[in-house]
Amino acid sequence: MPPERASWLALLPVLATFSYYLLPAPLQQNLWIIFSPQLLAYGSLAAWALVNPGWKTALRADPTDIRPAVQWGALMGAALGAVNLSLILLVIPELGGDITFLQSTPHAHAPAWMMFPVGIAAIGILVELNFRGFQMSRLQAVFGESQAGRIAAVVISALVFAHDPFMIHVFQHLHVIAVWDGLVWGILLLRTGSLYATMAAHTVEVWILYAWLKLWFA
């Protein structure tokens, strides 16, 4: 397999995410600017894939042995779903945090038949393709295969995921939950070597959160 090219493209959405917080408050409310890091990420992913014929393997998206990866991912997603649901419904309100705004998110307003199960699965696949498959794996290519390089790639991609402007805009203070989600999913990707594991984990977790929150606020 030829050496990977243009791994540095993954740095563009990282820089765009953290640059967002340097903008004046009015500009931070602009929808195009809110979505700009993700749009830049998918554009960078497309450009990177064009110059790397082995892009599927580099993304860890080779379908070989997909079944055990999905099984491990589903188990991890169920565990994270239970933990995070307990935090959202029990711990955070006890500490005085507001969760009622979750009834007003775009996800809550979308028709349930659209979100569950297909919509959430599509979101989980795309988000993991971006943050773990592209950004984390390319950061690992930039930093190297040492333990320090792997840790840096996992941590940076998790922080970028949790501080994505759309994440902050929609989920407000609850975005901190995405930090440990991102860390767990990053470690899962390293351990399984399969992006399908993180896609399954992300999807199953959000299925659990979405279904329970729908019932909770009904």
Side-chain angles (χ1 to χ4, degrees):
M1 184 174 176
E4 183 174 324
R5 301 172 61 188
S7 299
W8 57 267
L9 283 169
L11 296 172
L12 298 182
V14 173
L15 294 173
T17 297
F18 292 114
S19 296
Y20 169 84
Y21 297 98
L22 301 176
L23 297 173
L27 287 179
Q28 291 184 5
Q29 301 304 311
N30 182 283
L31 283 179
W32 282 106
I33 293 177
I34 288 172
F35 281 106
S36 61
Q38 290 197 43
L39 294 173
L40 182 59
Y42 290 114
S44 298
L45 167 57
W48 168 84
L50 286 174
V51 297
N52 287 283
W55 60 268
K56 186 179 293 186
T57 300
L59 288 174
R60 297 180 168 97
D62 194 313
T64 304
D65 296 326
I66 187 174
R67 185 173 178 179
V70 169
Q71 289 174 337
W72 275 109
L75 286 172
M76 185 60 68
L80 279 173
V83 171
N84 289 337
L85 189 65
S86 298
L87 285 171
I88 293 170
L89 296 183
L90 303 176
V91 178
I92 291 174
E94 186 67 24
L95 296 174
D98 175 42
I99 64 167
T100 58
F101 72 90
L102 291 172
Q103 301 174 83
S104 303
T105 65
H107 309 74
H109 282 306
W113 61 265
M114 181 185 297
M115 291 298 297
F116 189 90
V118 177
I120 290 172
I123 292 170
I125 289 169
L126 287 173
V127 169
E128 289 307 304
L129 179 63
N130 174 9
F131 289 100
R132 252 60 62 182
F134 178 58
Q135 294 192 42
M136 178 187 141
S137 295
R138 307 291 62 73
L139 288 173
Q140 190 178 337
V142 170
F143 297 140
E145 292 296 327
S146 66
Q147 185 174 0
R150 293 184 178 189
I151 291 172
V154 170
V155 171
I156 292 173
S157 62
L159 291 174
V160 172
F161 170 59
H163 290 82
D164 178 78
F166 180 73
M167 178 77 74
I168 299 285
H169 188 72
V170 173
F171 296 108
Q172 302 178 29
H173 57 280
L174 295 182
H175 82 98
V176 295
I177 292 174
V179 175
W180 58 78
D181 275 356
L183 293 173
V184 171
W185 295 335
I187 295 169
L188 180 65
L189 180 59
L190 291 180
R191 294 299 299 271
T192 64
S194 174
L195 188 60
Y196 298 105
T198 71
M199 289 175 173
H202 192 142
T203 299
V204 170
E205 179 184 345
V206 180
W207 276 345
I208 291 170
L209 294 176
Y210 179 85
W212 273 95
L213 288 170
K214 273 290 188 183
L215 293 172
W216 186 269
F217 290 120

